[in-house]
């Protein structure tokens, strides 16, 4: 059965023979052309028009080739200028000088420079906060860490917090010790100071010792006064005992001596290196006694002893080879007891300044006692007689 629609589609694909001879006639899907007629004059103009179009096209191609060459040259020049800008450090606005961005950039930079110069001229110099606080606390403020020390040991940290809570800067604890310092942590949090609960290994690194007792406290150092200042501030005392250490620097001995001094009411320790009294090991061994003993600084121990003698103090030295028995001696109310290191004892220059020489009696089976033990015995006897 023939389908008229399929026949119609086939006929549309075929070009009509009537229209094949005229390329200027419009094709319309197999429909007959409108048959627009052209005159002979128009047909004669076709070659001239074609030549004119061909000449125009040739001119446009020539101009296009020239334009391409110019564009290529400009592109190469732009790339070279871009590389030069990058090497010279110019900003991105310098790449297009014709756009006006360069002028805006230069103007903006000029305003910023002028503003910065005005700020530098008008703004006063401010010291860092930690330096200001250090100066207010009586320190030189050159380095805050020089004015700090790390104490460890429960009793040492407890006593420091009790007497100088405002001087506490930071606290480190382990989990086992933290409940014992709950009040300290609350105080630090209230005053916006830091505390950290760390493990044992970290605490050992912070303390620099295995014998930290589970707590490390960073505090400001106590101010150290010189010999003349101490004597001027205590002229009214009728009873006073000082210790002078000649070459003693072991922190455990220093801590034990401070502990005995605090127990028997000794006010201060005279040293050429008084800062050693505030080390962590000395403070831990002192078990809180560091807070009750003043460090007195001197340049030369002999000069400091002479100042004490002029102020009415008697100078006492000890020796295992001579001197009167400690328990038969009458100890004055105002004394300076001098101790030397265990190996060499008191130097000859210091010994020559002595008013009284005493000896601690014993069996003689050992040559001498530890300096901290000897100090505790003599201070105990002075306290028994004058206390």
């Amino acid at each position: 059965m023939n389908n008229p629609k399929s026949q119609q589609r086939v006929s549309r694909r075929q070009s009509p023979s009537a229209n094949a001879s005229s390329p200027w006639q419009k094709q319309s899907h197999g429909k007959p052309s409108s048959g627009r007629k052209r005159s002979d004059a128009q047909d004669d103009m076709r070659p001239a028009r074609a030549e004119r179009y061909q000449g125009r096209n040739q001119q446009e191609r020539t101009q296009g080739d020239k334009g391409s060459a110019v564009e290529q040259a400009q592109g190469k020049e732009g790339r070279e200028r871009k590389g030069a800008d990058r090497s010279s450090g110019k900003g991105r606005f310098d790449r297009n000088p014709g756009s006006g961005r360069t002028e805006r950039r230069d103007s903006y930079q000029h305003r910023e420079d002028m503003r910065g110069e005005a700020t530098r001229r008008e703004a006063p110099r401010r010291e860092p906060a930690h330096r200001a606080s250090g100066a207010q606390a009586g320190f030189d403020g050159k380095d805050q860490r020089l004015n700090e020390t790390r104490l460890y040991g429960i009793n040492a940290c407890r006593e420091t917090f009790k007497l100088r809570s405002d001087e506490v800067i930071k606290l480190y604890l382990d989990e086992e010790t933290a409940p014992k310092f709950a009040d300290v942590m609350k105080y630090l949090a209230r005053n916006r100071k830091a505390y950290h609960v760390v493990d044992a290994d970290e605490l050992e690194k912070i303390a620099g010792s295995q014998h930290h007792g589970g707590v490390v406290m960073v505090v400001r150092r106590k101010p150290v006064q010189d010999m003349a200042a101490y004597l001027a501030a205590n002229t009214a005392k009728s009873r006073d005992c000082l210790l002078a250490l000649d070459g003693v620097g072991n922190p455990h001995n220093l801590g034990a001596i401070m502990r005995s001094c605090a127990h028997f009411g000794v006010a201060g320790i005279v040293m050429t290196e008084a800062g050693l009294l505030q080390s962590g090991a000395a403070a831990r061994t002192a078990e809180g006694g560091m807070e009750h003993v003043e460090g007195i600084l001197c340049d030369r121990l002999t000069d400091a002893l002479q100042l004490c003698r002029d102020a009415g103090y008697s100078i006492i030295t000890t020796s295992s080879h001579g001197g009167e028995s400690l328990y038969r001696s009458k100890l004055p109310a105002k004394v300076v007891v001098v101790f030397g290191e265990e190996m060499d004892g008191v130097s000859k220059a210091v010994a020559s300044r002595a008013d009284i020489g005493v000896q601690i009696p014993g069996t003689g089976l050992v040559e001498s006692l530890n300096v901290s033990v000897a100090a505790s015995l003599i201070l105990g006897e002075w306290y028994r007689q004058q206390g």
Side-chain angles (χ1 to χ4, degrees):
M1 184 175 181
N2 294 331
N3 189 349
K5 292 183 179 181
S6 61
Q7 292 178 357
Q8 185 179 1
R9 284 197 298 269
V10 172
S11 64
R12 286 179 180 177
R13 293 191 190 100
Q14 297 174 355
S15 298
S17 58
N19 299 331
S21 61
S22 178
W24 297 97
Q25 293 181 358
K26 184 177 180 181
Q27 302 288 335
S28 180
H29 298 288
K31 293 182 179 181
S33 175
S34 58
R36 187 173 58 185
K37 297 181 180 180
R38 293 181 179 272
S39 63
D40 296 338
Q42 290 177 340
D43 292 339
D44 295 338
M45 290 175 62
R46 291 175 189 170
R49 184 183 301 173
E51 292 177 358
R52 186 167 62 252
Y53 287 160
Q54 185 176 3
R56 184 183 301 174
N57 292 337
Q58 182 66 27
Q59 183 180 3
E60 291 178 355
R61 285 197 297 270
T62 303
Q63 293 178 354
D65 294 341
K66 293 181 180 180
S68 300
V70 173
E71 291 176 357
Q72 290 178 1
Q74 291 178 351
K76 182 178 180 181
E77 182 181 357
R79 287 193 296 272
E80 293 177 353
R81 184 169 60 254
K82 181 178 179 181
D85 292 343
R86 288 182 177 177
S87 62
S88 62
K90 291 185 178 180
R92 61 186 179 89
F93 291 140
D94 294 335
R95 300 173 188 173
N96 189 6
S99 65
R101 292 184 177 180
T102 305
E103 290 78 3
R104 290 196 296 272
R105 175 184 178 277
D106 294 340
S107 177
Y108 174 78
Q109 186 65 34
H110 177 71
R111 290 197 303 270
E112 289 297 317
D113 294 342
M114 295 298 294
R115 186 180 304 170
E117 182 66 25
T119 303
R120 286 191 295 271
R121 289 197 304 266
E122 297 174 1
R125 181 179 179 181
R126 297 182 179 179
E127 292 293 334
H130 73 274
R131 293 190 178 181
S133 62
Q136 294 173 1
F139 302 116
D140 55 10
K142 292 182 179 179
D143 190 345
Q144 180 68 9
R145 288 181 294 182
L146 295 178
N147 301 325
E148 299 174 359
T149 184
R150 297 189 178 190
L151 309 179
Y152 48 86
I154 293 177
N155 292 336
C157 294
R158 266 292 174 192
E159 195 67 14
T160 298
F161 177 74
K162 176 182 176 181
L163 300 178
R164 297 190 296 133
S165 59
D166 57 333
E167 301 294 325
V168 178
I169 299 174
K170 195 179 300 184
L171 185 68
Y172 298 91
L173 313 97
D174 59 18
E175 294 183 359
E176 183 179 355
T177 312
K180 301 177 183 179
F181 285 81
D183 57 330
V184 180
M185 291 188 288
K186 290 180 181 179
Y187 171 83
L188 295 177
R190 187 166 58 250
N191 289 273
R192 296 184 178 181
K193 296 182 179 181
Y195 67 88
H196 306 276
V197 178
V198 298
D199 55 27
D201 294 337
E202 183 67 18
L203 199 60
E204 181 178 341
K205 293 179 182 179
I206 296 170
S209 172
Q210 297 178 349
H211 308 288
H212 47 70
V215 57
V216 178
M217 183 178 286
V218 182
V219 300
R220 292 188 180 90
R221 289 180 174 269
K222 296 193 302 179
V224 177
Q225 56 185 331
D226 59 17
M227 190 77 257
Y230 176 84
L231 294 174
N234 293 277
T235 54
K237 281 188 175 182
S238 59
R239 186 178 69 92
D240 192 19
C241 180
L242 297 175
L243 250 65
L245 300 181
D246 184 13
V248 179
N250 183 281
H252 300 95
N253 287 336
L254 294 177
I257 291 172
M258 285 192 292
R259 187 173 183 178
S260 298
C261 288
H263 182 71
F264 294 116
V266 176
I269 298 177
V270 185
M271 295 180 63
T272 57
E273 296 180 277
L276 297 177
L277 298 173
Q278 301 189 48
S279 68
R284 181 190 67 83
T285 309
E287 296 289 347
M290 184 197 75
E291 296 296 333
H292 300 278
V293 181
E294 296 294 333
I296 303 173
L297 183 65
C298 66
D299 295 329
R300 295 178 59 187
L301 191 56
T302 54
D303 295 342
L305 294 178
Q306 186 60 45
L307 289 176
C308 292
R309 178 183 283 111
D310 296 340
Y313 288 79
S314 298
I315 311 301
I316 300 177
T317 59
T318 62
S319 175
S320 59
H321 306 291
E324 186 178 1
S325 173
L326 172 64
Y327 303 111
R328 296 176 184 175
S329 301
K330 178 64 176 179
L331 302 180
K334 298 181 71 172
V335 296
V336 179
V337 185
V338 185
F339 294 94
E341 59 179 349
E342 297 178 19
M343 296 298 296
D344 299 329
V346 178
S347 64
K348 293 182 179 181
V350 174
S352 63
R353 308 281 179 170
D355 299 315
I356 303 173
V358 298
Q359 179 184 13
I360 300 173
T363 62
L365 297 178
V366 293
E367 183 177 359
S368 63
L369 296 174
N370 177 271
V371 62
S372 61
V373 175
S376 65
L377 292 175
I378 296 178
L379 296 180
E381 181 62 18
W382 177 85
Y383 184 80
R384 186 189 68 81
Q385 295 183 21
Q386 301 294 333

